[in-house]
Amino acid sequence: MRYEHFMQIGLTVNDKKMGHIIIGADPKFTLDNTSGLNIVDKYIMVKATLEELRFKVKKVDISTSMFGDLSIGIIIYDSDDFNKINAGDIVYKVLD
């Protein structure tokens, strides 16, 4: 399988209403460059401390900080592996 670096995880949230959310950022994404964020219904791989975990993306949301940086929120379909990921883990797009 081929992968492409997507972002580093800053925070994970398990919200009763929205589901499993992975929040992070990468400087390559800007307000002028959001084309690479189209990953809905595609797969991502999270390189956790001891293993590589694969998740299907349900939704992607972006927000901006006061400084204009993008924060990326990835909502994934339910998975028992969600609890294995942590801040600092790296997210990759699955290319094939």
Side-chain angles (χ1 to χ4, degrees):
M1 280 221 170
R2 294 182 315 127
Y3 304 102
E4 178 182 293
H5 181 272
F6 190 75
M7 70 177 191
Q8 184 171 14
I9 298 173
L11 175 68
T12 61
V13 177
N14 190 7
D15 183 79
K16 289 181 182 179
K17 185 176 179 182
M18 296 181 73
H20 301 311
I21 307 169
I22 300 169
I23 302 168
D26 191 283
K28 71 181 170 195
F29 297 115
T30 64
L31 288 174
D32 297 325
N33 179 24
T34 60
S35 61
L37 297 174
N38 186 16
I39 58 170
V40 174
D41 289 328
K42 296 180 182 173
Y43 287 90
I44 58 171
M45 186 270 293
V46 176
K47 186 166 179 129
T49 306
L50 299 175
E51 57 190 317
E52 296 177 348
L53 307 165
R54 189 173 159 143
F55 303 99
K56 187 170 183 181
V57 176
K58 188 177 202 178
K59 184 177 180 185
V60 176
D61 285 325
I62 59 170
S63 61
T64 57
S65 71
M66 290 180 8
F67 302 104
D69 296 330
L70 289 186
S71 180
I72 305 163
I74 301 172
I75 300 173
I76 61 169
Y77 287 95
D78 287 341
S79 172
D80 292 336
D81 288 335
F82 179 76
N83 294 328
K84 296 179 182 179
I85 60 177
N86 297 293
D89 290 347
I90 305 297
V91 176
Y92 295 89
K93 286 194 312 189
V94 176
L95 301 176
D96 51 21

